Amino acid sequence: MILVELLQAILLIAGVGFFLVGTVGILRFPDVYTRVHALTKADNLGLGLIVFGLLLGADSLPVALKLLLIWGLALVASATAGYLVARAARRRGVRPWKAQHREDA
């Protein structure tokens, strides 16, 4: 039982870590495209780890199926929202960020 609780704690902490990385990506990345990438990738992986951590403690099969359904719906919603945000940015003429090389640096 202690091993399951330890694995649960590791999965939950790793999931929170991925959420934190996604949030830092939103704040630090230079343009909308890279921010959408950080948000969709890191947060979906973080949510998946949290769901797997919670699955280990699920009391019944319906509860476990609800957790998986929530994760699936979040994946679909995140992909759809990310696509729509990126498409709207492209239609408004937002260009992807490119690194500029400085000669004096």
Side-chain angles (χ1 to χ4, degrees), residues 18-103:
F18 275 98
F19 271 113
L20 182 64
V21 168
T23 302
V24 169
I26 289 172
L27 297 174
R28 297 287 299 170
F29 283 162
D31 69 347
V32 67
Y33 303 108
T34 53
R35 290 177 183 157
V36 166
H37 176 77
L39 179 66
T40 56
K41 302 298 181 201
D43 285 356
N44 284 333
L45 184 57
L47 181 61
L49 291 172
I50 288 174
V51 165
F52 281 123
L54 294 175
L55 278 176
L56 295 175
D59 294 334
S60 63
L61 182 62
V63 171
L65 291 176
K66 284 180 187 176
L67 288 170
L68 290 175
L69 179 65
I70 289 169
W71 187 34
L73 290 175
L75 285 174
V76 171
S78 176
T80 304
Y83 170 76
L84 292 175
V85 168
R87 187 177 74 170
R90 188 177 57 102
R91 285 186 175 178
R92 291 184 180 187
V94 177
R95 293 180 176 256
W97 178 81
K98 291 183 180 179
Q100 297 177 356
H101 298 285
R102 292 182 177 179
E103 297 297 327

Side-chain angles (χ1 to χ4, degrees), residues 6-17:
L6 180 66
L7 185 60
Q8 251 185 320
I10 290 171
L11 288 171
L12 292 175
I13 290 170
V16 170

